[in-house]
Amino acid sequence: MTVVTTSRKPLPEVRSLARDLAFAIGGGYVTRGKAGMGELLSLDQSVVIVSRSGSYSCIQVFSGDEPPVDITVRSFVVEERAGAISRGLFTSDSSVCEALKGRIDAVFAGEDLPGHRIVFDGTQRKRYTLEVVP
């Protein structure tokens, strides 16, 4: 099971994004507190950290001894989901899909999504659309 957490002092919207990301990928959310990377990696070999720096958000995926994957998110929109829930991440960016392969369950959606986007369904009928910086 993948562990998802945030930076140490996250904004409420970053915390909500991280919790719903954990739900979408079937991982567990852990409150970061003062925990360092060693403590997080002792919980699981796969750790996702969601943070915000200025006007950009960052999703970092750590997996064992491999170098981390950094995904920079320009913006994200939360909408009400209509219809059935879809588990996992759906991306229109093939480089993001390749980078996440073997770490997080991500599906290449191709032309179904415009631009460089990641879409996933969260709790409480929420659907997230993240605009990824190419």
Side-chain angles (χ1 to χ4, degrees), residues 57-76:
S57 296
C58 183
I59 300 173
Q60 295 179 299
V61 183
F62 295 86
S63 182
D65 295 334
E66 299 176 31
V69 172
D70 291 327
I71 301 169
T72 304
V73 177
R74 180 174 292 133
S75 64
F76 65 91

Side-chain angles (χ1 to χ4, degrees), residues 40-131:
L40 293 173
L41 288 170
S42 71
L43 298 173
D44 196 296
Q45 287 296 318
S46 183
V47 175
V48 177
I49 297 177
V50 181
S51 61
R52 184 163 190 125
S53 178
S55 60
Y56 292 97
S57 296
C58 183
I59 300 173
Q60 295 179 299
V61 183
F62 295 86
S63 182
D65 295 334
E66 299 176 31
V69 172
D70 291 327
I71 301 169
T72 304
V73 177
R74 180 174 292 133
S75 64
F76 65 91
V77 177
V78 183
E79 301 172 318
E80 184 174 336
R81 177 181 69 247
I85 190 170
S86 299
R87 297 304 285 254
L89 302 181
F90 302 91
T91 180
S92 62
D93 191 324
S94 60
S95 63
V96 169
C97 193
E98 275 300 310
L100 294 177
K101 185 182 268 185
R103 299 170 190 233
I104 295 178
D105 186 25
V107 176
F108 181 65
E111 294 89 32
D112 293 342
L113 296 173
H116 300 277
R117 306 220 188 288
I118 297 174
V119 175
F120 65 90
D121 291 344
T123 59
Q124 300 176 348
R125 303 189 59 79
K126 290 188 247 178
R127 173 162 288 158
Y128 287 81
T129 303
L130 286 65
E131 184 180 350

